[in-house]
Amino acid sequence: MTNGKMRILFNLAGDRNKASSRVRGYWIGEALEELGHRVSYAHVNSKADYLRLTARIARHDVVIFQKSYSRYHPAILRLARAAGKRVFFDIDDAPSRVGNPRVERTARWMMRNCHGVLAGSSALVRVAREEHDRVHFVPSGIRLENYVVQPVDTHDPARVCLGWIGNGAHYADDILGILTEPLRKVAADRPLTLRIVGANGEQRLHTAFDGIPGLTAEVIDGVDWSSPAAISDAVAPFDIGLYPLFAGPFNDYKCGFKALEYMATGIPVLASDAANHAEIVEEGVSGHLLRSPEDWVRALSELAGNTAKRRAMGAAGRKIVEDRFDTRRIAADLEGILSDGR
């Protein structure tokens, strides 16, 4: 470390096309660079990559292991600590979607043996505190310049666009199980467009809504997630952002990034009252938190028929993101955590 400036290495789960690595790695790293630190990035796909990672650790002061669960990561963490590096473990999901016991054991070992854990939700903070006494709540954030607030007068007031963005291969059950019947009921009274961005080849999402009278479905398989403009362009037609999510052993640890994306573009959020959504979406201010099919019908009908309310909720959501979830604010807080290891 030179003149208080750190050399930081993010060992990420993927490249910029992987949401968690883009949001909690590259975006935060870029904000740390603006603060004067030197930041590097790595993600491993082969044994040779692991060898290169061990060599790169020597040139850094701080190493952040993001969701690092392979059998090699504990040895690399030991090496980093033996070399005097400050080591942190970053987590924004339950370790395994399918409850793989080996992955979960490795995750807990990594948490126990680092200098501190960076957890993306209060539920993950509670899990991490079972393994370590230095657990820091570090929310996922938004790089605000990547998200453009769209003027509402450019949208068709006669046909409200409901939007969803993400990885449809992981969320198809939530989308179909929660939204199908409420959409059928609301579309019977007013014309709606449902725009799904990121179906990722999930055929059910391409066909499930075709037969609903009054509903037009637009399904986009994928976008260039690494492009700042691509996401903002994909979300631009949305009037209301949808975040259906069943409670469960994996979803309960989600960090609500989808809600933040909607809010950053100035649109209201309709979200299941699950995971950490209540920590992000202020009920009646930036959107609604919903528990039953009847809740979804009421909220969809209310917002679809009220442009002024959508505009007010969208503005409130954007302000919340600016005040609490801007990556520059998060990076400034993280700077203090990384610099003293506490």
Side-chain angles (χ1 to χ4, degrees), residues 289-312:
L289 299 165
L290 312 169
R291 296 185 176 183
S292 68
E294 294 74 23
D295 288 345
W296 279 94
V297 170
R298 280 194 298 271
L300 286 165
S301 298
E302 171 201 321
L303 289 186
N306 193 329
T307 303
K309 191 156 194 175
R310 293 199 304 271
R311 184 184 292 122

Side-chain angles (χ1 to χ4, degrees), residues 30 63 74 116 132 207 215 229 245 256 258 267 270 273 288 339-340:
E30 288 159 5
V63 183
H132 207 298
T207 60
L215 182 68
L245 195 70
K258 229 180 296 297
I267 60 173
L270 296 182
D273 191 2
H288 291 302
S339 64
D340 65 11

Side-chain angles (χ1 to χ4, degrees), residues 2 15 20 22 39 42 49 60 74 82 110 121 126 133 156 193 211 217 227 244 271 277-278 297 303 315 325-326 342:
T2 305
D15 61 16
S20 60
R22 183 173 66 253
V39 182
D49 289 337
H60 294 83
M110 295 288 285
S121 72
R126 290 192 292 271
D133 60 354
D156 180 0
T193 296
S227 168
H277 295 174
V297 170
L303 289 186
F325 297 102
D326 182 349
R342 289 190 266 172

Side-chain angles (χ1 to χ4, degrees), residues 18 67 73 77 85 89 91 94 96 120 186 190 211 237 250 259 265 269 292 311 324 332 341:
K18 186 173 181 63
K67 298 195 289 193
H73 281 123
L77 186 148
K85 311 304 178 183
F89 186 76
I91 185 168
S96 171
V186 177
R190 67 177 70 247
F250 187 78
T265 57
V269 183
S292 68
R311 184 184 292 122
R324 294 171 48 203

